[in-house]
Amino acid sequence: AALTTAQRALGQPGDAAPELISAPCPGGGLARTARSVVASGPSMTALAPLAGDTPLLDQPPVYAYRTGPVTVLAESGPDAARLAATVGCPE
């Protein structure tokens, strides 16, 4: 859901199926990432409202924020932006 919300904030449809990646955690469970590539569009600052205006990283072309247990990373390129939403290992 966090990835779809970020896609929509950047003016992209959120209906494309993301690439899903998972890895086992040392203490059990899985770390999971959903990622996608979207057409370049608005500035990554369009994600600021999703970050509550307190991003983890705001160093163009990279923008990252946390929403609940999910970390969202966006990297803008000349032709496309890469988005990833990750839930890490349980602590």
Side-chain angles (χ1 to χ4, degrees):
L3 185 67
T4 300
T5 302
Q7 289 171 319
R8 290 186 179 143
L10 294 174
Q12 303 294 315
D15 57 359
E19 178 183 4
L20 303 175
I21 302 162
S22 63
C25 295
L30 292 174
R32 300 175 314 245
T33 297
R35 63 184 183 182
S36 67
V37 176
V38 298
S40 285
S43 163
M44 292 298 146
T45 58
L47 298 172
L50 303 178
D53 294 319
T54 55
L56 296 173
L57 180 65
D58 185 4
Q59 295 182 354
V62 179
Y63 192 87
Y65 63 95
R66 190 176 314 272
T67 177
V70 181
T71 301
V72 178
L73 175 70
E75 182 177 12
S76 179
D79 300 323
R82 293 180 291 184
L83 298 172
T86 299
V87 176
C89 292
E91 294 182 23

